[in-house]
Every structure is written in C-alpha cells, then in structure tokens.
C-alpha cells in the first residue's frame, strides 16, 4: 500500500481544491505535531507521572487534571512561534492567549479543548484533543475575545485526535473528512481513511442516562421510543453506548453511525447544556456535517449559532442525519 502522509495530503489538497494555503497547512501540521506529543505523554501514564489532579480549577469550575494543564501548554508552545496565528483560546484558559510580541502574527485563530474526556485519563480509557480554526477579522493583528465570537459556519478547519488503542487524527478543511493514524515507530501521520461518511440510519445512541430524571419532555420522548425497541413506535431495537469522552463517542459515530446527545436539562435550567460551543460542539458539528451527518442544539443548526461568550455552553444532538432530524423535530412540536 502506498503511504500518504499528512503533509502530502495537505499539499495535494491545496493543489486540487485551493483550500489549504501554506499558513493553514503549517497550522494543521503544528497542531498535529502537538497531538503527537500529547499522545506520547498520555501513553506513558503513571510512568510519565502525568496522571492525577493538577490541584487547580479552570474557569468553568472544573478540577484540572495534570494532563489538562500539560496538553494545554503543549498546544500553546507548539503554536506560538510559527507566525500563522493571531491568537488562541482554550477550555483551560479564562481569556484568549495572544501571540507574544517577539513572534510574527498570522491571520488565523485557533481554539481547542486540549484534553477531552478528563474523567477517563486515570482509568486508561480513550481521550482526545479537539480543535477549531477561524480567520481573524480582516486586517486585525491583535484580536480580542470578540474576534473569536464567530458562528461555526465560519470555521476553515476542524479536527480531533483520539488517544486510544490507536492514536488517530480526524480532519476537515471543508472538503470531506479524512482520518490519519499515527505510526508510532516512524512518528508520522498516515492517511488511513478517505472521505468518511456517517451512515444515515443507525441502531445506536449515546447519552448519559443517569440524567434521565432531569430531561425535558422532547428528550424523554425520543429516548423512551428508542428504549421501547421492536414493540415500540420505532419498530426495532436500539443499542446504547456512552464513553464519556466526546471524541471517542464521535469517532465511533463517524465510523459506524449513531446519535450523540448532551441535552440541556432541568438540573440547572439556566445552563443550555454541558458541552462548550466554540471548541467542542462547533468543530464536531463541522466534521459530522462534512461527513453527511447533522448537528443541532435541538432547535437550530449548531454551526448557525452566533456565540455570545468564549466559554458558552450548548445542547448537542449530532450524528446520523435521520435520528438527529427526528430528535430535533420533537423539540419543535
Ligand atoms: P472535558 O473532559 O473536556 O471537560 O469534556 C468532557 C465532556 C465530554 O467529553 C463528554 O462527552 C462529557 O463531558 C461527559 O459528561 P458526563 O460526565 O456528564 O457523562
Ligand atoms: Mn471536552
Ligand atoms: Mn477538556
């Protein structure tokens, strides 16, 4: 089999479709390199002294794990000096991270969830990194937080890495979705799946069912119908999976279909859900749509939402088109 590296893929993609100019290619390669470093740290586990709590909290009041902090630093360091970015933002930082003045600045904005699935770090279950790339408003070299508040439809690239049995990188630049596997011996990303497509029909769903008592009626109805199986209104049985790492759940869905849900619920009625719009929901929505699936907050296409805040939360329904459309339609009735 002829091996196509990430670099070769990016260069050829630019030649064919003109969607990946050199600066964006550098950005993607640098993010991929940082993910390689994170993957290496993750795989060391206790031997690398990377497990456990960092003894701090992030802006959302969540306890930071050592790997949350480490991965954040790795992504910041890798991306500061290349001249391709105007600024960065992260789940683990209250406000944006401008590029230090000693480096040249570029036109892109990078957002990331450096370590997704934190609760799985210490138990050796798949975790990952999620990222989203926007363009800074025309001519703006010193962007503020407001410059980041663009709807997901403005993303020029998005992707995630999964640190699981294999380390993979899944990427879109708006022209389909491709998957690269990390060759650990060679240290390179190799194209292993071209043009991934989410099957339209599915028999699998993913939701944290321990929150069932807090769900609002449309979610209750949708899940009850799935649980009723063959004898219920859906006329067939469904299976359930919940990994508690969005990256791993989305990766399964990209490969074999399914619907992923993290709805808003009555626990904290003011909160529109748990997941963050700008560096979790938007990049995943971009990937899923590029693979032929759908992503909504129950009412609206996720990528159409105009963000009001950097760390804004959002309800998420994404995956196989027919199921997402059904769950969304129950919210409209
Ligand atoms: P993070 O580790 O970046 O804070 O994200 C965790 C998210 C997401 O990956 C996952 O789907 C969800 O939280 C799990 O939430 P529950 O623990 O409520 O199931
Ligand atoms: Mn996350
Ligand atoms: Mn995280």
């Amino acid at each position: 089999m002829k091996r196509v590296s990430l670099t070769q893929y990016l260069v050829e993609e630019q030649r064919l479709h003109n969607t990946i100019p050199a600066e964006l290619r550098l950005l993607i390669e640098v993010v991929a390199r940082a993910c390689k470093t994170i993957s290496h740290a993750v795989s060391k586990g206790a031997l690398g002294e990377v497990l456990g709590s960092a003894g701090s909290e992030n802006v959302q009041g969540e306890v930071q794990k050592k790997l949350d902090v480490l991965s954040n630093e790795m992504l910041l360091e890798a991306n500061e000096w290349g001249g391709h970015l105007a600024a960065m933002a992260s789940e683990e930082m209250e406000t944006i991270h401008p590029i230090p003045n000693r480096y040249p600045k570029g036109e892109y904005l990078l957002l990331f969830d450096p370590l997704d699935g934190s609760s799985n770090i210490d138990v050796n279950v798949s975790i990952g990194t999620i990222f989203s790339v926007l363009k800074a408003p025309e001519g703006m070299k010193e962007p503020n937080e407001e410059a980041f508040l663009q709807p997901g439809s403005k993303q020029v690239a998005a992707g995630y890495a999964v640190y699981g049995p294999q380390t993979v990188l899944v990427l879109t630049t708006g022209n389909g979705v491709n998957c690269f596997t990390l060759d650990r011996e060679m240290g390179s990303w190799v194209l292993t799946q071209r043009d991934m497509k989410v099957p339209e029909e599915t028999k699998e769903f993913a939701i944290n069912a321990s929150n069932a008592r807090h769900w609002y009626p449309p979610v209750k109805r949708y899940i009850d119908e799935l649980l009723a199986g063959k004898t219920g209104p859906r006329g067939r049985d469904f299976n359930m999976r919940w990994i508690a790492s969005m990256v791993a759940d989305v990766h399964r869905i990209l490969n074999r279909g399914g619907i992923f849900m993290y709805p808003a619920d009555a626990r904290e009625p003011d909160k529109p859900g748990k997941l963050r719009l700008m560096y979790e929901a938007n990049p995943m929505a971009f990937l899923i749509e590029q693979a032929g699936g759908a992503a909504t907050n129950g009412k609206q296409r996720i990528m159409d939402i105009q963000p009001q805040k950097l760390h804004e939360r959002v309800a998420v329904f994404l995956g196989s088109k027919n199921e997402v459309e059904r769950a969304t339609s129950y919210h409209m009735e």
Side-chain angles (χ1 to χ4, degrees):
M1 181 180 88
K2 194 187 162 299
R3 286 164 61 115
V4 174
S5 68
L6 175 63
T7 302
Q8 184 177 352
Y9 165 79
L10 294 171
V11 168
E12 288 178 352
E13 199 52 25
Q14 165 65 4
R15 238 172 245 158
L16 287 170
H17 305 290
N18 211 18
T19 47
I20 313 181
E23 279 212 343
L24 182 58
R25 170 158 62 86
L26 177 63
L27 189 166
I28 293 167
E29 289 187 298
V30 170
V31 169
R33 199 176 310 140
C35 290
K36 218 189 285 181
T37 316
I38 298 170
S39 169
H40 185 76
V42 166
S43 68
K44 291 258 175 208
L47 301 177
E49 296 180 17
V50 296
L51 305 185
S53 162
S56 48
E57 276 189 2
N58 66 13
V59 56
Q60 3 238 346
E62 299 159 339
V63 174
Q64 288 178 306
K65 295 292 182 72
K66 273 187 201 161
L67 264 176
D68 288 319
V69 176
L70 269 174
S71 310
N72 191 58
E73 281 165 7
M74 286 168 178
L75 280 156
L76 289 179
E77 269 170 29
N79 281 286
E80 267 185 353
W81 51 269
H84 50 284
L85 287 181
M88 293 180 253
S90 159
E91 179 191 351
E92 305 302 339
M93 300 184 299
E94 181 162 3
T95 185
I96 65 162
H97 180 90
I99 298 300
N101 280 330
R102 59 183 181 281
Y103 300 121
K105 292 186 182 72
E107 59 176 336
Y108 293 104
L109 303 173
L110 174 64
L111 296 110
F112 44 83
D113 173 355
L115 211 288
D116 176 66
S118 301
S119 73
N120 284 323
I121 296 173
D122 294 348
V123 292
N124 198 11
V125 172
S126 293
I127 50 185
T129 297
I130 311 172
F131 68 95
S132 162
V133 183
L134 294 163
K135 265 194 170 169
E138 201 58 30
M140 193 187 275
K141 288 279 175 194
E142 309 270 344
N144 49 15
E145 198 167 303
E146 216 187 311
F148 283 77
L149 303 181
Q150 306 178 35
S153 56
K154 298 273 195 209
Q155 292 171 103
V156 294
Y160 63 79
V162 185
Y163 315 117
Q166 304 116 41
T167 288
V168 296
L169 180 76
V170 176
L171 175 72
T172 185
T173 52
N175 184 36
V177 179
N178 292 282
C179 178
F180 303 82
T181 303
L182 180 62
D183 181 330
R184 295 179 205 261
E185 282 74 45
M186 307 294 282
S188 60
W189 295 102
V190 182
L191 180 58
T192 43
Q193 278 170 280
R194 267 190 201 274
D195 206 16
M196 299 173 87
K197 289 287 170 224
V198 185
E200 276 187 18
E201 285 295 339
T202 180
K203 288 186 159 191
E204 282 184 342
F205 67 101
I207 192 164
N208 184 340
S210 70
N211 298 322
R213 68 187 184 284
H214 305 295
W215 290 340
Y216 292 122
V219 177
K220 262 197 187 124
R221 172 184 169 198
Y222 176 71
I223 301 293
D224 281 347
E225 290 182 6
L226 297 181
L227 294 176
K230 249 198 189 103
T231 52
R234 300 299 305 270
R236 56 198 167 96
D237 291 338
F238 286 80
N239 199 0
M240 191 181 89
R241 289 285 183 275
W242 183 252
I243 302 174
S245 294
M246 189 192 200
V247 274
D249 279 312
V250 169
H251 193 63
R252 181 190 62 254
I253 288 169
L254 262 174
N255 276 287
R256 66 174 193 215
I259 175 170
F260 172 95
M261 291 159 278
Y262 212 117
D265 62 39
R267 264 179 299 178
E268 288 173 79
D270 296 341
K271 250 197 200 174
K274 175 182 184 187
L275 299 174
R276 275 63 48 116
L277 174 61
M278 302 223 48
Y279 40 81
E280 290 181 317
N282 269 342
M284 292 312 202
F286 192 17
L287 288 160
I288 288 286
E289 282 197 12
Q290 281 293 315
T296 75
N297 66 356
K299 300 191 168 102
Q300 189 186 3
R301 182 181 176 231
I302 283 177
M303 289 206 289
D304 283 340
I305 298 172
Q306 171 60 50
Q308 307 295 331
K309 286 190 306 202
L310 191 57
H311 297 289
E312 173 168 339
R313 292 175 193 265
V314 66
V316 174
F317 298 80
L318 63 76
S320 294
K321 209 174 188 159
N322 296 346
E323 292 306 318
V324 173
E325 280 172 3
R326 181 185 284 263
T328 305
S329 73
Y330 289 5
H331 286 78
M332 303 313 237
E333 279 171 26

